[in-house]
Amino acid sequence: MNPLRLVRARPGVPFTVTFDDREIEALPGQTLAAALWSGGVTAWRTTRGAGRPRGVFCGIGVCFDCLVTVDGRPGLRACLVPAAPGAVVRSQSGSGHDE
Amino acid sequence: MSERRPVLAVIGAGPAGLAAALAAAARGVRVMLVDSAAEAGGQFYRQPARGLGARRPEALHHRWRTWERLRAGLDAHLGAGRVTHLTDHHVWCVERDSDRLVVHSLLGPQQTESVAVRADAVLLATGAYEKVLPFPGWTLPGVVTAGGAQALLKGGLALSGGTAVVAGTGPLLLPVATGLAAAGARVVALVESAGPKSLARSARAWAAAPAKLAEGAELAARLALRRVPVMARQVVLEAHGVDRLESVTVAALDGAGRPAPGSRRQLSCDTLAVGHGLLPHTDLADGLGCRLDGPGVWVDAEQRTDVPGVWAAGETTGVGGATLSLAEGHIAGRSAAARLTGRVPDPDGWAPAARARDRLRTFFTALDAAYAAQPVRWAEQVTDETVVCRCEEVPAGAVRDAVGALGAGDLRTVKLLTRAGMGWCQGRMCEPGVAGVAGCALIPARRLLARPVPLGVLADPAEPPAAP
Ligand SMILES: Cc1cc2nc3c(=O)[nH]c(=O)nc-3n(C[C@H](O)[C@H](O)[C@H](O)COP(=O)(O)OP(=O)(O)OC[C@H]3O[C@@H](n4cnc5c(N)ncnc54)[C@H](O)[C@@H]3O)c2cc1C
Ligand code: FES
């Protein structure tokens, strides 16, 4: 069983977003966090202090652990941002404004 | 006097906000239903996104019939123009403007643009978020909140990896474990720190809420069916891994709430869904100056806060599940509609909802007591190196120094000395953990803004349109 089969999903046409130069498949309606998480990617940012990896934590926009850079804009919460076809997603280091 | 219908802004479209919106719209009030999500439903009725084309979304839900009724009611009111649903609106502040109120929201995930709407009264139904107490390894990718795992699954049909442990304490762990298992994850264990005896001792309370008992029993049966072992009176002591979660150490607790010698064992997993209960969202109430009652917003029998024109319902007022949220929302919506249209509210009209509310409050108070009946000395297990404030990366040792060497006696001083709680999330994730490690009382911080707001917006907030 997988989640799509469980709810008998017939998703729209899948598309890809690039994540740090690789392609990740996303389904229409998924947030970036959901697409990355289903694609087996669990970390997409490193912290400002110790440079430790982080990804999704609260899943609902409260914790700010899932920050990511999308199309050049840093500091977006991946759990809130819908995946869009062709989006260029980069993992973010520090505050995202350091590079 | 103008002839216009009074406007009630309902903030939050979960069970509480939906019940309130339907009750108020049916009684002569215009409702602005404002929610940050793209769809109505809140946490309990979170649905797969439309583009996912789920034909059997109920497979991940309970009480689907109730949702269908709410959805049909909302659609009817939307069609008749009695309710306006403002989706993707993140409310960052509610402001008093002479005799009316202005609701300020940031739009969409980008959250750079702010819009304002005016209302005669507001009803806060913003729900709750998950509390997680820190432990070594809790910042590793692959460790998520139990509700977060549920939200990714219900909303995005997303599962990461294949082997999960669900851990912590509280009634939310049961639906999360069954949901993950049903969706195809191998759930190695549900690790619950409360003991089976303390749950049994609350049998009187369970009896007061038979529907809840049936739900609990049904979930437990589903877990058994999927062969998910429930490890009661045990805790996850530590999560291991380098760049992502690889395993957890679990131990049984002795009578004093400490790991029993020789009971440690390691479980391999790539996902840890962990939670220690929920905390009400109270920031909009804080900004309005509403009195709190413990962690939630104080309300009277009509669900009114102590600030005129402001109602609150659902988990904003205290955590107690979807059915209680529905009852509170219904009462709040009827009370607000009556008062806004110049009628005297008639509690007899909502007596069944009031009875349900009182029964469920009693039930959840007893349930909370049962879950908390035996001590868990979790703070002792938090090593000095463990990060307790995730945003500012403050280790437990710094908090202990602030209390010990520097003499901080309360949470506010600890925060000033360590920066714990000053980061992006404004202490929402770390407050209970920092308080526990510091040995201070947990006093909810008063947050004046519910969302981080761009400076440009703060300097020049949007004006609401003139009418209505
Ligand atoms: C992540 C999570 C998952 C959960 N999953 C389950 C589950 O599977 N089963 C279960 O029994 N219980 C679950 N719960 C418990 C759940 O909180 C309640 O059972 C129920 O949903 C509470 O209803 P409510 O209407 O009070 O709040 P909610 O359902 O939480 O609704 C609150 C709504 O307010 C919106 N909101 C909050 N703040 C703002 C703001 N500032 N601006 C605009 N909108 C805002 C939110 O987007 C949300 O739609 C979950 C809780 C959480 C936190
Ligand atoms: S995971 Fe917490 S804000 Fe996105």
Side-chain angles (χ1 to χ4, degrees):
Chain A
M1 189 60 84
N2 70 39
L4 290 149
R5 272 187 46 211
L6 178 67
V7 300
R8 290 215 232 111
R10 253 195 224 145
V13 185
F15 55 85
T16 57
V17 298
T18 59
F19 169 69
D20 289 349
D21 302 324
R22 42 195 265 240
E23 306 228 303
I24 295 278
E25 183 164 292
L27 296 172
Q30 281 184 325
T31 59
L32 276 179
L36 290 166
W37 189 251
S38 331
V41 181
T42 45
W44 48 85
R45 134 174 131 84
T46 50
T47 59
R48 281 174 298 171
R52 301 295 303 146
R54 296 279 176 87
V56 68
F57 183 60
C58 75
I60 59 167
V62 177
C63 74
F64 291 74
D65 258 0
C66 66
L67 297 179
V68 73
T69 298
V70 184
D71 295 332
R73 235 197 105 195
L76 294 176
R77 279 167 278 175
C79 67
L80 299 181
V81 182
V88 179
V89 183
R90 300 212 143 268
S91 40
Q92 173 169 322
S93 52
S95 66
H97 295 280
D98 311 345
E99 284 104 65
Chain B
M1 283 303 284
S2 73
E3 290 287 309
R4 68 171 180 81
R5 277 181 183 230
V7 178
L8 173 69
V10 175
I11 305 173
L18 283 170
L22 299 193
R27 290 171 180 78
V29 171
R30 234 179 99 49
V31 175
M32 297 275 194
L33 181 60
V34 192
D35 194 290
S36 50
E39 300 277 346
Q43 303 302 351
F44 189 80
Y45 293 116
R46 188 184 282 274
Q47 321 271 312
R50 266 183 212 190
L52 291 166
R55 287 175 296 152
R56 220 169 67 84
E58 63 272 28
L60 281 166
H61 282 87
H62 308 284
R63 298 197 290 275
W64 188 252
R65 291 282 300 282
T66 309
W67 162 252
E68 287 177 330
R69 277 201 298 276
L70 289 170
R71 179 75 246 182
L74 178 64
D75 286 343
H77 287 302
L78 288 171
R82 289 183 291 261
V83 176
T84 308
H85 185 189
L86 302 173
T87 57
D88 285 312
H89 279 58
H90 298 252
V91 181
W92 56 273
C93 149
V94 180
E95 185 185 33
R96 193 163 283 286
D97 175 27
S98 61
D99 60 336
R100 299 186 80 195
L101 293 147
V102 181
V103 177
H104 292 277
S105 319
L106 291 164
L107 293 186
Q110 309 276 341
Q111 303 198 16
T112 47
E113 193 189 331
S114 182
V115 298
V117 292
R118 221 186 279 280
D120 300 289
V122 297
L123 199 157
L124 306 172
T126 47
Y129 60 97
E130 201 137 6
K131 171 166 108 186
V132 183
L133 300 171
F135 52 91
W138 75 310
T139 54
L140 274 174
V143 180
V144 279
T145 65
Q150 184 83 331
L152 284 163
L153 180 59
K154 279 184 174 177
L157 302 180
L159 263 191
S160 160
T163 314
V165 169
V166 178
T169 191
L172 182 58
L173 301 184
L174 236 61
V176 172
T178 45
L180 292 175
R186 199 163 71 82
V187 180
V188 195
L190 191 166
V191 184
E192 164 61 63
S193 64
K197 278 207 200 107
S198 69
L199 297 179
R201 254 187 247 123
S202 69
R204 276 226 327 269
W206 285 103
K212 217 54 213 170
L213 179 60
E215 188 182 313
E218 185 199 320
L219 288 169
R222 281 202 224 170
L223 277 186
L225 196 70
R226 296 188 189 278
R227 299 189 195 289
V228 174
V230 178
M231 300 163 67
R233 203 63 192 141
Q234 305 213 20
V235 293
V236 166
L237 282 182
E238 190 170 351
H240 312 275
V242 183
D243 286 330
R244 62 157 303 159
L245 179 71
E246 285 159 19
S247 65
V248 293
T249 298
V250 176
L253 294 172
D254 66 14
R258 296 192 171 89
S263 72
R264 283 170 206 244
R265 59 193 176 106
Q266 207 151 334
L267 303 176
S268 294
C269 57
D270 53 32
T271 306
L272 171 63
V274 61
H276 299 97
L278 299 174
L279 288 168
H281 267 300
T282 56
D283 20 35
L284 295 173
D286 289 341
L288 281 158
C290 301
R291 172 148 69 93
L292 299 187
D293 177 14
V297 179
W298 178 89
V299 285
D300 67 8
E302 274 179 46
Q303 301 294 134
R304 287 181 299 176
T305 71
D306 64 335
V307 173
V310 181
W311 278 255
E315 298 200 316
T316 313
T317 69
V319 168
T323 309
L324 176 57
S325 297
L326 286 167
E328 290 193 1
H330 180 77
I331 296 166
R334 289 181 71 142
S335 158
R339 296 199 174 266
L340 284 170
T341 53
R343 287 176 284 128
V344 179
D346 171 22
D348 286 347
W350 64 65
R355 276 197 300 276
R357 174 184 61 189
D358 297 347
R359 202 181 59 228
L360 287 163
R361 275 264 169 254
T362 310
F363 170 71
F364 276 97
T365 308
L367 197 64
D368 272 356
Y371 274 101
Q374 288 160 289
V376 180
R377 296 193 199 281
W378 62 269
E380 291 172 13
Q381 310 305 322
V382 179
T383 57
D384 278 348
E385 300 73 42
T386 305
V387 162
V388 286
C389 166
R390 301 173 70 95
C391 300
E392 293 294 313
E393 294 176 85
V394 180
V399 172
R400 289 180 177 132
D401 284 348
V403 177
L406 303 175
D410 60 71
L411 207 50
R412 220 181 99 74
T413 315
V414 171
K415 175 171 168 176
L416 292 174
L417 290 170
T418 63
R419 297 196 55 80
M422 288 202 194
W424 284 302
C425 87
Q426 285 294 294
R428 286 178 181 85
M429 297 318 298
C430 68
E431 232 158 43
V434 171
V437 168
C440 300
L442 173 63
I443 334 149
R446 291 230 151 210
R447 299 180 187 94
L448 297 181
L449 300 179
R451 295 282 189 274
V453 182
L455 281 177
V457 168
L458 269 186
D460 186 17
E463 277 295 311

